[in-house]
Amino acid sequence: MNEDPSDSDAQTQQEAVVRAMQARADDLDELTASRLASIRRSAMALHPENQPKRSLWWPAMGAASAAVVVVAVLLTLTPEQVPGENQWPGDVETLVLIQDLEVIEELEFLAWLDEVENGAG
Amino acid sequence: MTQADDMDRFLATVEKRAYSVARISVGNSEDALDIVQDAMFALVRRYAAKPEEQWQPLFFRILYNRINDHHRRHASQRRWFSWWPGGGEQEEAQSWESLVADGPTADPAFQTAMDGSIDALEHAVAGLPQRQQEAFLLRSVQGLNVAETAAAMRCSEGSVKTHYSRANKALREQLEDHWT
């Protein structure tokens, strides 16, 4: 596409314009320059390197406290209450107990049947 | 020297011209300061870890995004107020570019400063179409080369040359008395 003006006068004028605009931009009044510097300082306060370092002490304390609570809970539970592998024997015992009750009921039924038959005989 | 020191030095080198670019574009000193602040905050927050050579195009990309947001907000506000009785019925037909051109006249401080050819030039620049203005200000005020301007504008170097050339042509035509 078309590049800048071909004639050298126009080029010179254009360069003069650019210099003038840059000079004005660099020659700011003190108040504005001071406000810009203040804005820059505020921005730099957000830089990750200028952020206060996060202490590792508090996360470590939290993890240690949680571990202590877990250990305390495990120690206070009775073996029957501790879930996991002990759950299986407990279930077996319950099943055995239920089977025992059925046997007892059967014996009682037989005893009653005997009485009925003897009574009838 | 830490990366924070490098970024502080970078911002110190660009802050005045960035402010000037924003002031010429939006025509208001306070808004220009707000825009520069937003751009600095965004660069430091989001891109501090980027390599230093990327800071300049990123910063000016952010700056111009903020400037464009400003123009959109003002154009939108003008549209809304045009619904009120006497709320600028004649402005409804105005183009976005002409709304931008009206910007500087709204600021009394800017009007007071309009006393020479460089002021007339700044006023004319404010009236350029957005992309031409962007190319002109980044090339002339900020002093970026074609490649740096293309990176900041996210377009090809050819487009930058076209926009810049058209901007210069338009400004010469408008400012014939001052330009010669």
Side-chain angles (χ1 to χ4, degrees):
Chain A
M1 294 300 282
N2 293 337
E3 189 41 275
D4 298 341
S6 55
D7 105 29
S8 63
D9 283 349
Q11 184 68 34
T12 308
Q13 287 157 2
Q14 190 176 313
E15 286 168 4
V17 164
V18 167
R19 276 199 303 276
M21 290 191 83
Q22 289 180 345
R24 166 172 276 199
D26 294 337
D27 187 30
L28 285 181
D29 61 280
E30 278 187 25
L31 177 63
T32 307
S34 156
R35 290 179 71 183
L36 281 170
S38 171
I39 286 169
R40 173 163 43 87
R41 281 193 296 276
S42 303
M44 288 310 301
L46 303 172
H47 195 281
E49 286 180 8
N50 294 333
Q51 296 290 306
K53 294 272 185 297
R54 284 183 182 175
S55 171
L56 293 176
W57 178 245
W58 286 107
M61 281 288 287
S65 303
V68 167
V69 169
V70 168
V71 169
V73 168
L74 288 175
L75 288 176
T76 53
L77 287 175
T78 59
E80 290 79 14
Q81 290 172 304
V82 178
E85 292 179 359
N86 292 338
Q87 195 77 39
W88 173 241
D91 290 345
V92 172
E93 284 170 12
T94 306
L95 284 173
V96 169
L97 187 63
I98 290 169
Q99 282 177 343
D100 289 345
L101 285 172
E102 286 172 353
V103 170
I104 290 168
E105 281 174 2
E106 201 173 339
L107 288 172
E108 284 175 350
F109 173 72
L110 291 171
W112 171 80
L113 192 62
D114 268 345
E115 283 176 12
V116 170
E117 283 175 355
N118 290 335
Chain B
M1 187 174 270
T2 65
Q3 195 196 41
D5 293 333
D6 290 338
M7 178 155 275
D8 188 48
R9 186 173 42 78
F10 164 75
L11 291 176
T13 59
V14 297
E15 65 188 11
K16 287 183 179 176
R17 292 188 181 183
Y19 164 76
S20 290
V21 165
R23 181 183 56 77
I24 292 168
S25 187
V26 303
N28 182 298
S29 306
E30 290 301 317
D31 289 346
L33 284 169
D34 287 346
I35 286 168
V36 172
Q37 175 174 294
D38 283 354
M40 282 189 179
F41 279 26
L43 183 79
V44 172
R45 270 192 189 132
R46 297 183 203 158
Y47 303 109
K50 293 277 185 189
E52 190 173 347
E53 61 271 17
Q54 292 183 17
W55 291 346
Q56 183 169 269
L58 280 169
F59 178 73
F60 285 103
R61 184 68 254 144
I62 298 166
L63 185 79
Y64 248 95
N65 282 341
R66 296 296 186 276
I67 289 170
N68 292 335
D69 287 347
H70 174 92
H71 288 317
R72 279 191 212 101
R73 259 199 318 275
H74 277 246
S76 168
Q77 282 171 1
R78 282 171 188 252
R79 271 195 297 276
W80 276 105
F81 281 112
S82 70
W83 287 91
W84 292 92
E89 287 165 8
Q90 73 283 4
E91 288 174 355
E92 280 189 67
Q94 286 184 315
S95 66
W96 184 85
E97 284 80 10
S98 66
L99 291 177
V100 171
D102 285 347
T105 59
D107 184 5
F110 193 91
Q111 276 185 331
T112 308
M114 291 287 288
D115 57 356
S117 58
I118 195 73
D119 303 300
L121 174 64
E122 287 185 3
H123 190 65
V125 170
L128 288 173
Q130 181 202 355
R131 297 295 272 175
Q132 287 181 29
Q133 182 195 106
E134 201 171 338
F136 182 83
L137 288 175
L138 291 177
R139 294 275 283 115
S140 60
V141 177
Q142 195 57 46
L144 304 189
N145 61 31
V146 174
E148 290 168 339
T149 307
M153 290 177 67
R154 287 189 187 162
C155 65
S156 69
E157 293 185 16
S159 296
V160 170
K161 288 176 184 172
T162 303
H163 290 311
Y164 187 57
S165 171
R166 286 177 181 166
N168 277 311
K169 185 168 180 285
L171 292 173
R172 264 201 310 280
E173 286 169 2
Q174 285 183 56
L175 301 165
E176 209 165 328
D177 295 339
H178 297 284
W179 200 278
T180 51

